[in-house]
Amino acid sequence: MSRELDAKIAEIMGLQVLGFARATTYECADDWIIQGEDGNQPVYLSECCCDDKRMEPVGRIFGHHTLCLQVVPRYSSNANDSALMEERLKELGLMREYGLCLARELGLFDDEREMGDLEGKDLFVLAHASPEVRCVAALEAVELSRTGEVSSRG
């Protein structure tokens, strides 16, 4: 599920996710090469250069040259990428909702235990939450800001 989760977080980050594709790396570089639409890496439109006449003929996927696309960062499995997501939530003014959803996701409080009842050990748990838990809480925070409630997970 983590790459699907990454794609959802990418939308929060303002990236235009076009779909999923196969991707590999050069052995000597970190550049991604999109090989086809039948894969599991979410890709987004980085900067469209399809109209640039100087471009060498390259493959196309999702209606764009492959050079226009990038693979979505691994927000749900990389701490540095999830930190970027948290910065975006701060920009959007969603830190209160995010903190609430993160604490709830970690089981630190529920209807009987209020947010104000958190103790030092709870704050340690919050600070060391995994990137995946942080991403789930971020999606819940966005939903909470839009609807006023978080849907129950099944």
Side-chain angles (χ1 to χ4, degrees):
M1 173 177 131
S2 68
R3 293 309 276 155
E4 291 85 5
L5 183 57
D6 292 335
K8 291 177 183 176
I9 295 299
E11 297 290 337
I12 294 172
M13 298 295 291
L15 303 178
Q16 181 184 357
V17 178
L18 300 177
F20 287 76
R22 284 187 303 146
T24 60
T25 60
Y26 290 112
E27 289 183 16
C28 60
D30 292 328
D31 296 328
W32 290 89
I33 301 173
I34 309 304
Q35 295 182 327
E37 295 183 25
D38 59 337
N40 62 359
Q41 299 295 325
V43 295
Y44 69 96
L45 180 60
S46 174
E47 182 178 339
C48 186
C49 52
C50 291
D51 294 333
D52 189 340
K53 303 299 181 205
R54 298 171 296 162
M55 293 276 290
E56 294 181 28
V58 293
R60 290 181 81 84
I61 184 171
F62 302 120
H64 292 276
H65 290 305
T66 57
L67 297 176
C68 302
L69 307 176
Q70 296 261 341
V71 174
V72 168
R74 296 183 175 275
Y75 300 110
S76 65
S77 61
N78 181 295
N80 291 331
D81 292 336
S82 70
L84 294 174
M85 175 210 55
E86 289 175 333
E87 286 299 316
R88 176 67 175 156
L89 293 174
K90 188 183 297 183
E91 290 171 9
L92 296 172
L94 296 176
M95 290 309 285
R96 181 184 175 284
E97 292 87 348
Y98 175 63
L100 176 74
C101 292
L102 183 58
R104 185 178 294 151
E105 189 66 28
L106 292 168
L108 297 180
F109 75 96
D110 52 29
D111 292 336
E112 295 177 17
R113 186 174 181 210
E114 298 291 323
M115 184 75 160
D117 295 337
L118 294 180
E119 301 169 2
K121 65 180 173 31
D122 298 325
L123 298 177
F124 180 83
V125 171
L126 282 171
H128 291 87
S130 71
E132 184 173 10
V133 169
R134 291 174 185 276
C135 286
V136 170
L139 291 176
E140 291 176 355
V142 169
E143 182 180 346
L144 180 61
S145 73
R146 290 182 181 152
T147 65
E149 57 186 49
V150 177
S151 65
S152 60
R153 289 169 289 167

